[in-house]
Amino acid sequence: MSAERVPSHRDDAVLDERELQILAFEARAWQHPGAKADAIRQEFGLSAARYYRILGELIDSPAALRHDPMLIKRLQRMREARVAARSRRSLSIGRPLD
């Protein structure tokens, strides 16, 4: 297992170069999820799953919020909508999906 740095939740944390690149990457418009997954592999050398774990930490980072508040708020809303949709699906079948 690699010792990749995961973003910190400290208020005084500063974003590193890779974190800034991830935020810039997320700010792009993506029409096809497959194309985005391929670009993640090419640009960052990460699996999509690892990329999204790092992004999830960034979304909760005060430093990322200070860097690009509109992007972070949009990503937080999208995450909340996915969680709500997942919850509705689990209620409709009568058991949790996770």
Side-chain angles (χ1 to χ4, degrees), residues 73-89:
K73 291 293 187 182
R74 179 174 59 86
L75 293 172
Q76 288 172 340
R77 283 191 308 272
M78 290 169 60
R79 178 175 62 185
E80 290 165 6
R82 283 191 307 274
V83 168
R86 192 175 309 126
S87 176
R88 284 191 303 275
R89 283 194 313 268

Side-chain angles (χ1 to χ4, degrees), residues 19-80:
E19 292 165 345
L20 292 171
Q21 290 171 350
I22 287 173
L23 292 177
F25 184 84
E26 273 306 304
R28 296 184 209 165
W30 293 97
Q31 300 298 321
H32 306 288
K36 184 175 181 181
D38 291 341
I40 288 168
R41 247 179 260 105
Q42 256 184 342
E43 290 194 32
F44 300 105
L46 299 170
S47 69
R50 178 68 182 136
Y51 171 85
Y52 285 113
R53 280 193 300 273
I54 294 168
L55 180 62
E57 291 289 327
L58 270 173
I59 289 171
D60 295 327
S61 163
L65 183 61
R66 284 191 303 274
H67 174 74
D68 193 338
M70 288 179 62
L71 173 65
I72 297 303
K73 291 293 187 182
R74 179 174 59 86
L75 293 172
Q76 288 172 340
R77 283 191 308 272
M78 290 169 60
R79 178 175 62 185
E80 290 165 6

